[in-house]
Amino acid sequence: MHMVPFFWRFHNVHHTDLDLDVSTAARFHFGEMILSIGFLSLAVLLFGIGPIMLVVFFITFEAATLFHHSNWRLPIRIERILNLILVTPRMHGIHHSIVQRETNSNWGTMFCWWDNLHGTLRRDVPQDAITVGVAAYREEHELTLGKLFALPFRGQREWRLPNGEIPEREPQPAEKLVK
């Protein structure tokens, strides 16, 4: 959804949320949902996934999505333990940063080892240092239901703040979990 421009047009709606909280877990463009349903249907058919397994998948997937989009601040000791296996709100918050390099990291839904395997794991940004959203869409009046509905069908803006600046942050060792 991030790397293919056509898919990003739809997924961008999810990332334009200016406050990362549990409601962000439901903020998806209907076009992305249709694409996802098509992909999932194909996977169900190809792998012969039964109805019970599908229900278990959806319950687990939605619980994980609600958890990592929540604005919970876990104690650092618990965070470090959970972060060995699971995607946590702190880790996923980096994925919602206005710094594009950070947005293109921490893509996992449930398990963080996929990001570790693919070199996209970042835990090096303090939670308080993250500004959530998409750099080019920072104005609330541009994020109304109607404008978000139309967003994938309009020209896409460069990853720049309204003042023209490109948000950056000095990278740290990616495997380091920062308070």
Side-chain angles (χ1 to χ4, degrees):
M1 296 310 244
H2 283 247
M3 294 297 145
V4 177
F6 176 75
F7 294 151
W8 174 251
R9 289 174 162 273
F10 293 96
H11 190 62
N12 194 10
V13 170
H14 173 68
H15 278 269
T16 59
D17 201 346
L18 300 176
D19 297 304
L20 184 62
D21 57 37
V22 76
S23 72
T24 310
R27 184 188 176 111
F28 289 97
H29 192 277
F30 82 95
E32 180 177 357
M33 296 169 83
I34 290 169
L35 291 167
S36 295
I37 290 168
F39 176 78
L40 183 62
S41 298
L42 185 62
V44 166
L45 291 172
L46 285 174
F47 296 108
I49 298 169
I52 299 295
M53 211 52 210
L54 198 57
V55 169
V56 169
F57 165 78
F58 271 116
I59 289 170
T60 307
F61 178 82
E62 291 303 323
T65 301
L66 291 169
F67 171 64
H68 71 241
H69 281 99
S70 73
N71 54 6
W72 288 356
R73 291 177 176 257
L74 302 172
I76 197 68
R77 281 187 229 151
I78 293 172
E79 178 79 26
R80 285 191 169 125
I81 292 167
L82 289 176
N83 219 216
L84 293 171
I85 300 169
L86 299 176
V87 174
T88 60
R90 175 192 306 258
M91 181 186 153
H92 195 72
I94 295 170
H95 175 74
H96 280 268
S97 167
I98 63 168
V99 176
Q100 192 172 27
R101 176 180 41 78
E102 294 169 3
T103 297
N104 290 327
S105 67
N106 297 357
W107 292 336
T109 300
M110 186 174 305
F111 301 113
C112 63
W113 58 61
W114 297 112
D115 283 300
N116 203 14
L117 177 70
H118 295 288
T120 56
L121 179 63
R122 299 226 64 82
R123 295 185 286 200
D124 62 326
V125 182
Q127 202 164 9
D128 292 336
I130 298 169
T131 300
V132 172
V134 174
Y137 301 95
R138 303 295 307 152
E139 306 296 330
E140 285 187 26
H141 71 275
E142 294 185 316
L143 304 176
T144 63
L145 182 62
K147 289 183 180 179
L148 289 173
F149 179 80
L151 183 63
F153 309 106
R154 297 190 322 221
Q156 300 294 294
R157 298 178 187 165
E158 288 185 55
W159 198 281
R160 294 180 182 275
L161 293 168
N163 66 8
E165 290 180 35
I166 297 174
E168 292 289 342
R169 186 183 339 270
E170 192 65 33
Q172 303 294 317
E175 60 280 342
K176 183 179 177 190
L177 179 61
V178 178
K179 288 185 181 188

